[in-house]
Amino acid sequence: MIKKQSTRLAVGLAMSLSTMPVWAQDGPIMPQLSDTAECYLTLEVDNALDWRGPYGRGYEVFDPSLSFEVALITVRHEGRACDFFLTATGQTGGGGGRLDGQGYALIYDLLRDPSGPSILSPDLFGNPLSRLHGTFVEGPSAQQFMIYLSIPPEQFVPGGTYSGLAILKLFRDDMAAPELSIQEALPITVAVASALKVENLQAGVGRRDLSVDLGNLETGATSELDFVLSSNAPVQARISSDNRGFLAHQFGARSIPYRMSIGNRRLDLSNGSDQVAIGTGGERGLDLPLTIMVDQQPGAAAGKYSDIVTINFRVEQ
């Protein structure tokens, strides 16, 4: 019987806009303006974005679904009426969204709603699609935006923590040219889970057990099972034999020894099990043959011989 263990992984952001009066001083204190000749804007980021994914395990590299984390952005206003817009850029050159970790990059996006468009732009003033526009009337008030963090699925990166900054920029937009009022950093942290996907070509999708017929043992036998592994972390395979590397006769006659190897490494099952390190992580579609070999048995008793072998694949966290 062959058992296998796998761990799955997934991600994604959208926009809503509301206007409300500012009564409580729970944000930065606005200056007391003596008149309404000026428009004064401030920008508040509700929280850092800590990506945990829909299952709380972080980003999962084999999950094809899209999900989102949300950040609440508040624009506060004092003074005369004015127009404004928000846009954003990535921390790295080129303005794209990139999180760094483990020597690799995880790509992200910030969206005005789950279906887009992106508010990230390499341009200083953003572009028509990346701008979130708003208008304030005279007097104190605030507007809130929800922006959505999207991490495109099936980015095959090692497990670990990835982090970076998005730079949010707030511009006044009621003059001859946009004027930068303030910019704030939005920290983004993503935990990428260690994940493992195991397939056996003979068993087929979804099956966890398989019977292997070695045929007539008098002339010897060789059989090979084909495993395919994908993992973003190192993998350990533990192989256990109920009969310690022997095929037991159904009525208790002398047992027949067999040899087993996995990935061209000979296994020692004399103590009931053996453990093998497989890969260094970052392998996709790694072919891993499991080979069973029995020498010729001309004098063996007639009957059926069997053993139960259990294979556990475990990804290192």
Side-chain angles (χ1 to χ4, degrees):
M1 179 172 66
I2 297 173
K3 294 183 179 178
K4 53 186 180 180
Q5 170 184 315
S6 61
T7 306
R8 285 296 182 95
L9 295 191
V11 189
L13 295 182
M15 160 198 157
S16 74
L17 172 65
S18 62
T19 303
M20 63 181 184
V22 178
W23 303 109
Q25 291 291 344
D26 57 350
I29 299 175
M30 306 294 289
Q32 299 300 312
L33 303 179
S34 59
D35 54 46
T36 59
E38 186 56 67
C39 167
Y40 185 84
L41 300 174
T42 60
L43 180 62
E44 297 175 22
V45 179
D46 178 62
N47 56 283
L49 284 173
D50 187 9
W51 181 271
R52 291 301 172 189
Y55 311 112
R57 297 191 294 261
Y59 182 76
E60 301 192 24
V61 297
F62 298 124
D63 192 336
S65 62
L66 187 63
S67 60
F68 306 90
E69 298 284 352
V70 179
L72 185 64
I73 309 300
T74 303
V75 179
R76 298 186 183 273
H77 165 263
E78 285 269 6
R80 71 174 180 84
C82 61
D83 299 327
F84 71 93
F85 67 82
L86 271 171
T87 189
T89 188
Q91 181 184 19
T92 58
R98 192 184 82 181
L99 306 173
D100 295 313
Q102 326 305 314
Y104 291 79
L106 187 67
I107 304 304
Y108 74 90
D109 205 351
L110 293 178
L111 309 174
R112 65 168 64 195
D113 62 56
S115 59
S118 173
I119 69 168
L120 293 177
S121 172
D123 301 326
L124 173 62
F125 302 119
N127 59 61
L129 292 178
S130 74
R131 296 175 183 175
L132 299 172
H133 289 274
T135 298
F136 284 114
V137 298
E138 183 178 311
S141 58
Q143 294 185 26
Q144 290 186 323
F145 298 84
M146 285 195 298
I147 59 173
Y148 296 76
L149 171 63
S150 167
I151 303 179
E154 299 182 304
Q155 298 185 63
F156 195 75
V157 295
T161 300
Y162 292 73
S163 60
L165 298 173
I167 309 301
L168 301 172
K169 297 179 292 185
L170 176 62
F171 289 87
R172 282 185 57 182
D173 194 29
D174 57 342
M175 297 175 288
E179 179 182 278
L180 180 64
S181 293
I182 191 172
Q183 64 182 31
E184 292 286 349
L186 175 63
I188 301 172
T189 302
V190 176
V192 175
S194 297
L196 170 64
K197 185 177 181 181
V198 180
E199 299 173 286
N200 179 258
L201 302 183
Q202 286 87 354
V205 178
R207 289 196 58 185
R208 292 178 175 267
D209 61 275
L210 179 67
S211 295
V212 179
D213 187 354
L214 295 174
N216 188 348
L217 300 182
E218 286 186 319
T219 58
T222 299
S223 182
E224 186 172 283
L225 300 178
D226 300 307
F227 291 94
V228 179
L229 272 65
S230 296
S231 177
N232 66 341
V235 175
Q236 293 282 338
R238 182 178 181 83
I239 300 90
S240 303
S241 163
D242 282 8
N243 297 325
R244 299 176 180 266
F246 285 83
L247 298 170
H249 189 269
Q250 65 186 120
F251 298 124
R254 182 179 61 86
S255 297
I256 295 176
Y258 65 87
R259 301 185 303 280
M260 180 176 286
S261 63
I262 187 167
N264 297 320
R265 173 174 168 176
R266 175 77 179 270
L267 299 173
D268 180 5
L269 300 176
S270 60
N271 292 319
S273 66
D274 198 0
Q275 187 163 295
V276 179
I278 301 171
T280 58
E283 284 89 4
R284 300 191 74 170
L286 175 66
D287 293 325
L288 189 70
L290 178 75
T291 306
I292 306 165
M293 294 162 287
V294 181
D295 292 335
Q296 293 182 6
Q297 304 293 324
K304 292 184 179 180
Y305 294 78
S306 65
D307 190 13
I308 295 178
V309 175
T310 303
I311 305 173
N312 286 304
F313 295 101
R314 180 176 61 86
V315 64
E316 294 183 3
Q317 300 297 322

